[in-house]
Amino acid sequence: MRILVVNPFGATEFYGKENLARIARPDTEFDVVNIADMYPLRNNQWLYFRYMCTDGTLEKVMWAERQGYDAVFISCNLDIGLYEARQLVDIPVTATLESAALTAHMMGAAYSLVTVDQQNGNIQKMLLDTYGLSHKFVSQRPFNIDANDLYPEQTPPAQVIEAVVDAAQKCVKEDGAEVVIPGCTLAGSILTHDVPDVESVIGAPVLDGMVTGFKLAEMMADLRRCGVPTVSRRGFFEKPPANDMRTLRTFLGRTLPP
């Protein structure tokens, strides 16, 4: 199995490849790419930035299908381009927040997000509403470190861990969360890498969305091999008309769809 991991911003997640290598199946190969060729920033936590990241992300997804990858995992808690990608390709596409929230729904009756800031958390809450996964969502608490500053050369990992753990403990003790999701892959990757028994520290399971999203990509690829379609093409995820796609791609000077 081959999976493409897309970082939908102009950098690659530190610890990400290392963490995924530890949990990937023996028969799974994966590559990690970013969209620095189309988007220069290392963060995307604002609505306009999120919008500007989508085009580059979708180009990587379509490229992955042409290159014969079995699935794509979009590694960012803003799930950049997730629904758009599912309209465009037949291989499975998963993303971080949706995967973590789906898993949290199986694990407990209430879950919380710890996010870089309040506005970013509000975007993720909007996504959970869109996914129909917000009825068990009880709170979001910011740990107030800008995504640009989560990189180790900007902020020591120990400082990030302290801030994330403090917010997560409040989610458990004060908000009743039974599961906690780090609302940024950069923060989740640090916890997975540096805190061996994070559940005992925080008081509830913590779901690194990179892990859940990657494993869900493996599972969806397996289901496709069993004859289960990746998405339903009857309705919401119906593909755009082929003639219009060719016209648009030609206008943009980009590779035509098969």
Side-chain angles (χ1 to χ4, degrees):
M1 182 181 298
R2 295 173 63 220
I3 295 176
L4 185 70
V5 180
V6 180
N7 292 154
F9 41 86
T12 300
E13 291 150 333
F14 54 92
Y15 300 153
K17 192 167 187 178
E18 182 180 347
N19 289 343
L20 294 178
R22 292 206 306 264
I23 59 93
R25 292 184 346 199
D27 64 335
T28 298
E29 300 177 0
F30 68 94
D31 297 303
V32 180
V33 298
N34 60 45
I35 60 168
D37 56 337
M38 295 185 69
Y39 180 86
L41 303 177
R42 300 200 303 174
N43 73 313
N44 56 15
Q45 72 225 55
W46 309 95
L47 284 169
Y48 177 62
F49 293 178
R50 179 173 178 265
Y51 171 80
M52 293 302 294
C53 286
T54 302
D55 187 27
T57 302
L58 296 177
E59 289 299 320
K60 297 296 184 186
V61 171
M62 290 185 284
W63 176 85
E65 184 173 54
R66 293 195 301 270
Q67 294 299 312
Y69 284 90
D70 297 291
V72 175
F73 165 48
I74 300 169
S75 188
C76 173
N77 260 70
L78 292 181
D79 290 3
I80 305 293
L82 175 61
Y83 274 13
E84 293 88 344
R86 288 177 178 162
Q87 280 197 333
L88 296 175
V89 299
D90 293 320
I91 59 174
V93 182
T94 65
T96 309
L97 179 62
E98 184 193 52
S99 300
L102 284 167
T103 307
H105 269 241
M106 293 187 289
M107 293 176 64
Y111 71 97
S112 293
L113 288 169
V114 289
T115 57
V116 296
D117 57 32
Q118 192 72 30
Q119 72 86 28
N120 187 261
N122 288 340
I123 296 173
Q124 294 184 51
K125 173 60 166 59
M126 175 186 70
L127 291 173
L128 294 174
D129 289 337
T130 299
Y131 300 152
L133 295 174
S134 59
H135 63 283
K136 291 185 179 181
F137 175 74
V138 293
S139 68
Q140 62 121 331
R141 287 184 179 263
F143 53 85
N144 294 316
I145 301 177
D146 187 273
N148 275 320
D149 296 328
L150 286 171
Y151 294 88
E153 67 271 20
Q154 297 295 117
T155 305
Q159 184 176 333
V160 175
I161 291 170
E162 181 180 4
V164 173
V165 166
D166 179 66
Q169 287 175 335
K170 290 175 181 175
C171 289
V172 174
K173 294 175 182 177
E174 300 178 24
D175 305 330
E178 298 176 10
V179 182
V180 177
I181 300 172
C184 178
T185 53
L186 297 173
S189 66
I190 291 177
L191 290 180
T192 295
H193 187 270
D194 289 350
V195 185
D197 189 7
V198 68
E199 180 177 355
S200 66
V201 175
I202 290 174
V206 176
L207 289 177
D208 181 349
M210 292 180 69
V211 173
T212 55
F214 186 88
K215 298 304 287 186
L216 185 60
E218 287 182 327
M219 184 193 76
M220 292 299 293
D222 280 341
L223 287 175
R224 187 174 185 232
R225 290 174 176 178
C226 294
V228 178
T230 299
V231 295
S232 171
R233 295 298 183 198
R234 183 179 177 83
F236 190 75
F237 289 121
E238 180 182 357
K239 283 190 173 184
N243 287 339
D244 287 348
M245 276 293 290
R246 282 192 293 272
T247 299
L248 178 59
R249 300 292 292 179
T250 300
F251 176 81
L252 294 173
R254 298 182 184 178
T255 304
L256 294 178

